[in-house]
Each structure stands twice: as C-alpha cells, then as structure tokens.
Amino acid sequence: NDSSVADNREGDILRMLGGAGWDITGKTRGSVKVGVVRRSFDSGAVEDDTRLTWEANLLWSPKSYSRFTLGTAQSANETSGPGNYVDSSATTLAWDFTFSPFYSLTADIMYLVDDFYRSEDGRRDKTLSVGLKGGYSPTKKFDLSLSYKNANRDSSDSSLDYSQNVVSLGAEFSI
C-alpha cells in the first residue's frame, strides 16, 4: 500500500554546511561548502542516516561577454519510489556567450547520479543531459529564446532507462 510506504518516509532532512567564497580580480569567483546531511524518519521501522554533503561553484569570465560556470553538489532528496531517500550527486558545466546586446547563447552539460538509499534492488540512475539555448532581445522589455535539451538516463532497472529530446520556444515581456 503506497500510503503506508509514504507514512514510513515522513521525517526531516537537516543540512549543516560550512565553507568559503572568493572573488579573484573580478574574473574568477566561487564558493565551496562541505558538511553533513542528516535524514531522520518518524517511523522506527526506517533507519536514520547521516552522510557527507557538499556544494561548490566556480565562475570564470575570461571576457565580459563570455562566462563559464562549473558546479557540483550532493544532496539527499525525497523518493516516490524505492529506498528511503535519493542520494543525488550532480556536476554541471555551462558556457554563456553574449554576441551583442541582442543575441546570446548558452551551452550546458550535466551529469547526475541518483542512488536510491536502501532500495531492495540497489537502484542507481545515471543521467547525462546536454543543452543549447539561444536568446534574442530586440528591446529591454522583450526576450525570445529557443532551446534544445537532450537527456539520457541509464538505470540499474533497465525498464526506467530513457532518452529524451526537448525543444522549447520562450517569450518574456516585462512591464
């Protein structure tokens, strides 16, 4: 019964991190935080867990019109499927390039690993996604964008593998 599984997963997630940030000559800045995450459950039938967690970001702007962002993080997330929770580790890299006040481009790649903590089958999902987004801003109050994202998940449960392509067209208008 799904409601009894959900009831057993009721509880709290407490994250405690400490770290530092820096800004070097305006071209490079970043931050690193390391700590612990404690996942506790209201039900005595589910074992609590404490583990290492982190967040790190690095931004490098070699030119005013070009920016690279590298990030990595580990977190404990709720699960709607197997296991007590999802232990997620993600690494991202993005490149933002502004051609002119009117045109911009963003390319990004992300690698995500989800471990379903204490799942009966030891489920692990690995997802790789790659994206490209172009922007056009004909005025300060109106923006258009066109993006493409490809994501591929490889799961230890092969019935959950997928390959996905998403094309999006966006418009923003501000008053």
Side-chain angles (χ1 to χ4, degrees):
N1 163 331
D2 288 343
S3 63
S4 67
V5 170
D7 288 344
N8 280 339
R9 291 187 184 136
E10 289 292 324
D12 298 303
I13 296 176
L14 174 65
R15 291 171 40 106
M16 294 180 290
L17 295 108
W22 66 90
D23 188 344
I24 303 172
T25 68
K27 291 187 182 232
T28 304
R29 65 178 174 213
S31 65
V32 174
K33 299 175 197 172
V34 178
V36 295
V37 61
R38 170 108 176 127
R39 181 66 172 106
S40 58
F41 298 92
D42 295 342
S43 168
V46 181
E47 188 177 328
D48 295 348
D49 185 57
T50 302
R51 61 184 48 226
L52 178 71
T53 187
W54 69 84
E55 296 175 8
N57 291 294
L58 176 65
L59 175 72
W60 177 51
S61 300
K63 300 286 183 185
S64 62
Y65 51 84
S66 182
R67 180 177 63 201
F68 294 89
T69 307
L70 176 65
T72 182
Q74 188 285 333
S75 62
N77 299 306
E78 298 289 333
T79 179
S80 59
N84 294 348
Y85 63 90
V86 182
D87 184 24
S88 298
S89 299
T91 302
T92 59
L93 176 64
W95 175 55
D96 297 302
F97 191 87
T98 303
F99 294 97
S100 74
F102 303 107
Y103 299 100
S104 64
L105 181 71
T106 300
D108 63 81
I109 186 168
M110 179 186 71
Y111 183 66
L112 173 67
V113 177
D114 288 329
D115 286 309
F116 291 74
Y117 182 74
R118 295 206 182 252
S119 62
E120 291 179 12
D121 62 353
R123 181 174 161 195
R124 173 178 255 206
D125 295 348
K126 297 177 185 176
T127 306
L128 178 66
S129 67
V130 179
L132 193 60
K133 178 180 180 181
Y136 172 61
S137 301
T139 70
K140 290 183 179 185
K141 295 186 177 215
F142 185 65
D143 296 324
L144 290 171
S145 63
L146 177 64
S147 66
Y148 169 75
K149 182 145 314 245
N150 171 266
N152 292 288
R153 177 168 70 188
D154 180 25
S155 177
S156 58
D157 179 349
S158 62
S159 68
L160 299 171
D161 291 352
Y162 70 80
S163 181
Q164 179 182 48
N165 293 296
V166 177
V167 176
S168 302
L169 178 62
E172 278 186 48
F173 181 75
S174 60
I175 298 174

